[in-house]
Amino acid sequence: MARIHLGHIFHLAGAPLLSESAHALVSIPEGALVVDDDGKIAFCGDRAGVPLKYRSTPVTDHRPGFVLPGFVDTHVHFPQTFAGDSYHGGQLQDWLEGRIYPAEARFADPDFARRAAVEFCDRRIASGTTAALVVGSAFREAQDALFAETARRGLRIVSGRGIQTVGPDAARPLLTSEDDVIRLAREEINKWHAADTGNVKTARLQVALIPRFALAVTTDTLKALGQLYDSVRDRGVYFHTHLNEDNRAGGGEIAATKQLYQVESCLDTYDGRFLPGSQVGGPSMLGRRSIMAHAVHCQDVELERMSQTGTSIAHCPVSQQFLGSGTMPWLKTVGSGVNISAGTDFGGGDEWPIPQVLAAAFKVHVGEPGDAAVSMHPAEMLFLGTLGGARALDMEERFGNFDVGKEADFVVIDPNRTPALRAVITEGVRSDDPRMARDQTLFGLLMRTRETSIAGTYVQGRRLQPPPPQRVTA
């Protein structure tokens, strides 16, 4: 039923570029968000201006809380649900082989996978993450559990089984034969893509093709995936993978990929140019529903190609810090025109809430060397976690801000639930300039919000059931 939600509203109105986000920032201290019977936004503005026809509509008063668009996580790993903060020493490949591949192999147990699906959805709801692009499990029953639990909880998801056809001994339980890889991917698409509504334009459940990364597949795999993707693009299927994450000498993923494929750039392997000399070997998998995770060490030509094709980047600064992968150059990447969104990369990242990703983004980019250092505007941070994510998922017309007619995905942040956040909001010094004071409040909110701060997570106007409180016993 229709409902009015009161609180301090922050969102980015319209369809700005990331570089334009400061001009699109809307702050309504005495805000009202009117959600109609269909779960869509009927009004967003000052509560004194609520249209007369809604004056008798039931009200939920979240004050002194804040109402923001639901957070969008464009890169997170389901089979790493219980693998956060895994220590093994060494670099990326050491961590994968020593900790992550064994953790993901546990999802072959359907009961374990079902428990993980519940925990995964619990953490999303508790963190205010309404939509997510999820690297899935290699095991069919685990993926079935993920989609089924997501549907039951009312969340949005794009996911696909993690595809690997080659790898080290530690990854052997996760490998799929070349004969089975396309069959299993097609079966997942046919079973789960838009399974909830039957229409990709209204569905909350959608499917992606997700090869783990170029080193986990072969030229045969890439060719077959490209051909499959060509055949399902018009159904709205997604493509997702890792790109240019680790560039360390003596075993980095980028050098190894270029050596293995004999290509000029890592992006070429996903752009159909995976034969020696970056010759065309199959269809490109880039496009408006393609998202590359990390993109830390991109060449200019790769950024230009992603911008040209509408391919997005999932920026994962928490993960880059945890794995020591480096810092994505902010000014260079934004200047290329490519769309950028936020990803937790849990469990490479060790934080579930998107605000912690945004806080990490601010800290790593203000610390870039020399003239590359930049103090991100809080509106840019908000863009990464909301509208940029909706754009990356090619669902900007459905959610991502509070424009009238969009679906009402939002999160309520109550500073009183987190004393350190309450102190920032109520006791922090504010500028005499109203615009700067607005920006200071949003900045503090995004920097200090934790899972405990989330008072409610809503999709299409419906409050999702939070996980029950956990009792810790000695």
Side-chain angles (χ1 to χ4, degrees):
M1 62 181 296
R3 183 165 291 273
I4 300 173
H5 295 269
L6 302 180
H8 187 154
I9 291 173
F10 277 114
H11 80 118
L12 302 170
L17 298 175
L18 190 158
S19 59
E20 302 166 339
S21 54
H23 301 292
L25 179 60
V26 174
S27 172
I28 312 172
E30 289 294 328
L33 188 71
V34 180
V35 181
D36 67 18
D37 291 334
D38 295 326
K40 293 186 178 181
I41 296 165
F43 173 83
C44 176
D46 193 280
R47 67 189 182 99
V50 172
L52 285 174
K53 67 177 180 178
Y54 296 112
R55 292 295 172 89
S56 61
T57 299
V59 173
T60 299
D61 193 344
H62 302 290
R63 295 175 298 175
F66 296 82
V67 180
L68 274 64
F71 297 123
V72 183
D73 187 346
T74 54
H75 183 60
V76 58
H77 291 257
F78 168 54
Q80 295 175 25
T81 296
F82 299 118
D85 294 306
S86 291
Y87 176 76
H88 190 264
Q91 297 184 356
L92 175 63
Q93 288 296 332
D94 304 307
W95 174 76
L96 286 171
E97 293 182 31
R99 299 297 299 168
I100 296 306
Y101 293 149
E104 294 189 2
R106 299 177 70 192
F107 281 64
D109 177 351
D111 290 335
F112 181 84
R114 282 191 287 272
R115 293 198 302 275
V118 171
E119 172 68 10
F120 187 81
C121 292
D122 279 351
R123 297 280 63 76
R124 285 188 54 193
I125 293 171
S127 300
T129 301
T130 53
L133 175 53
V134 182
V135 179
S137 170
F139 304 106
R140 178 168 48 193
E141 288 184 296
Q143 281 298 96
D144 288 346
L146 173 63
F147 278 112
E149 183 65 16
T150 301
R152 187 180 75 83
R153 303 294 283 277
L155 289 159
R156 299 186 193 272
I157 190 171
V158 178
S159 183
R161 61 187 308 273
I163 295 171
Q164 293 181 260
T165 52
V166 292
D169 287 343
R172 190 172 300 278
L174 308 174
L175 302 186
T176 303
S177 71
E178 298 284 3
D179 291 338
D180 287 340
V181 65
I182 299 303
R183 175 182 61 82
L184 291 171
R186 191 183 295 277
E187 286 177 359
E188 184 170 37
I189 292 167
N190 290 337
K191 182 172 185 177
W192 287 111
H193 193 58
D196 54 327
T197 67
N199 184 342
V200 71
K201 294 182 179 180
T202 60
R204 292 193 302 269
L205 307 179
Q206 303 201 42
V207 175
L209 294 179
I210 307 182
R212 186 177 208 114
F213 58 164
L215 295 177
V217 293
T218 67
T219 54
D220 288 341
T221 313
L222 289 170
K223 180 178 180 179
L225 286 175
Q227 291 171 339
L228 174 59
Y229 195 48
D230 251 11
S231 72
V232 295
R233 274 186 190 266
D234 62 353
R235 294 171 60 182
V237 172
Y238 292 79
F239 178 79
H240 184 49
T241 191
H242 300 79
L243 176 71
N244 292 336
E245 182 176 5
D246 181 20
N247 197 33
R248 281 170 289 199
E253 156 241 347
I254 296 173
T257 299
K258 289 182 177 179
Q259 181 178 7
L260 176 65
Y261 286 93
Q262 295 296 297
V263 291
E264 297 172 4
S265 77
C266 292
L267 185 68
D268 286 346
T269 61
Y270 310 122
D271 200 12
R273 297 178 290 157
F274 48 74
L275 297 181
S278 292
Q279 295 299 304
V280 174
S284 173
M285 291 177 279
L286 306 185
R288 286 185 62 183
R289 291 202 164 197
S290 299
I291 300 94
M292 301 292 160
H294 304 296
V296 180
H297 307 284
C298 287
Q299 302 173 40
D300 290 348
V301 67
E302 292 176 298
L303 293 173
E304 291 169 7
R305 179 63 176 155
M306 285 188 281
S307 179
Q308 177 189 51
T309 57
T311 299
S312 291
I313 290 173
H315 183 25
C316 308
V318 173
S319 170
Q320 265 82 80
Q321 290 178 311
F322 182 79
L323 296 173
S325 304
T327 299
M328 184 190 82
W330 181 254
L331 293 176
K332 172 183 171 181
T333 307
V334 173
S336 73
V338 66
N339 180 58
I340 310 172
S341 55
T344 61
D345 192 30
F346 199 95
D350 62 342
E351 296 281 1
W352 288 98
I354 284 293
Q356 286 303 288
V357 177
L358 309 181
F362 177 85
K363 288 181 274 191
V364 300
H365 295 306
V366 79
E368 289 193 57
D371 293 340
V374 60
S375 177
M376 292 176 64
H377 194 284
E380 293 178 318
M381 298 164 66
L382 184 63
F383 180 97
L384 288 182
T386 59
L387 192 60
R391 187 170 296 167
L393 297 182
D394 196 27
M395 294 193 208
E396 185 179 357
E397 78 285 353
R398 294 181 61 185
F399 56 87
N401 63 14
F402 295 143
D403 288 355
V404 171
K406 289 192 177 182
E407 297 171 26
D409 289 12
F410 61 97
V411 58
V412 177
I413 302 174
D414 182 356
N416 289 331
R417 294 167 59 100
T418 310
L421 173 60
R422 181 180 62 223
V424 166
I425 297 301
T426 62
E427 304 297 337
V429 174
R430 295 292 181 266
S431 170
D432 292 334
D433 174 53
R435 185 176 295 271
M436 177 57 76
R438 172 202 68 180
D439 297 344
Q440 290 168 333
T441 297
L442 176 60
F443 182 76
L445 182 68
L446 295 176
M447 293 293 289
R448 184 53 66 177
T449 288
R450 302 294 191 269
E451 190 172 302
T452 56
S453 315
I454 306 300
T457 302
Y458 295 75
V459 172
Q460 294 176 314
R462 185 172 68 89
R463 188 172 189 268
L464 306 187
Q465 187 64 34
Q470 299 296 311
R471 296 187 61 187
V472 179
T473 58

